[in-house]
Amino acid sequence: MRLDKYLKVSRLIKRRTVANEACDGGRVMINDKPAKASTNVKVGDVITIAFGNKEVKVEVLDVAETVRKENAAEMFKYV
């Protein structure tokens, strides 16, 4: 699954366009490497997102095309 879609489906970022802009701006990294929006996400990857002066680091536990809002938090765990 594409990185920008994963960020939206997992509810880490609310909109896909915002996720796309974050990737283009170099604020998203996968396994400590800068990632483009089109990068494929796999189970076990560690995603780091820079929100201003705060940094969120999560490990991918599940990759699913559609997820209910209540179950979105089960797609990742904070590292």
Side-chain angles (χ1 to χ4, degrees), residues 3-15 18-36 41 45-60 76-79:
L3 175 59
D4 57 347
K5 184 167 183 180
Y6 179 82
L7 293 173
K8 182 208 175 285
V9 170
S10 66
R11 310 290 200 289
L12 284 167
I13 296 180
K14 291 203 188 303
R15 288 188 300 273
V18 175
N20 219 316
E21 290 167 4
C23 294
D24 290 343
R27 296 193 307 269
V28 181
M29 305 210 307
I30 295 182
N31 301 327
D32 296 323
K33 294 185 184 100
K36 293 183 180 178
V41 176
D45 283 346
V46 176
I47 300 174
T48 308
I49 310 166
F51 290 112
N53 59 356
K54 191 176 107 179
E55 200 172 77
V56 176
K57 200 169 195 176
V58 296
E59 181 182 344
V60 178
F76 61 88
K77 73 173 180 182
Y78 292 100
V79 180

